[in-house]
Amino acid sequence: MSRFRPALRMVLALSAPLLILLALVSMASRRGTQRLEAVPALMIGTGLLVSSGLRRAQRRRILLEALRLAAPGQASSTEQGPGGSGVNGVGG
């Protein structure tokens, strides 16, 4: 099962954008009130993408806070670089 995990993750990662694409193609190919049948798929796909983005941002924020707490003295010295002036030793 472990050798199928990368393929499974790729399919799951593409599922929300593909659902949105399918809904848009379905809306384009239908006329009148039949277009409304594609709206739930469009809303679900959009909701999945938005929730995924918010979750990723939250995880990154938590990781950044953890990194800042782990090495509080190193954060200020690395921002100035080895020369002590500016970023990466380049003054500005």
Side-chain angles (χ1 to χ4, degrees):
M1 179 71 183
S2 64
R3 70 177 191 193
F4 295 113
R5 287 225 169 141
L8 179 65
R9 284 187 176 194
M10 185 178 69
V11 169
L12 288 176
L14 292 175
S15 63
L18 289 176
L19 185 61
I20 293 172
L21 180 65
L22 178 67
L24 291 175
V25 168
S26 177
M27 286 180 86
S29 67
R30 296 177 184 219
R31 298 282 178 223
T33 59
Q34 287 183 339
R35 287 185 175 186
L36 293 176
E37 294 175 4
V39 171
L42 183 65
M43 298 304 287
I44 290 171
T46 304
L48 287 172
L49 277 180
V50 167
S51 69
S52 174
L54 291 175
R55 203 170 338 139
R56 183 179 300 119
Q58 181 182 19
R59 283 194 314 256
R60 292 180 72 177
R61 191 177 320 113
I62 291 170
L63 178 61
L64 180 62
E65 289 175 8
L67 288 173
R68 285 183 178 166
L69 289 175
Q74 293 178 357
S76 62
S77 66
T78 57
E79 287 175 359
Q80 291 185 355
S85 60
V87 178
N88 293 329
V90 178

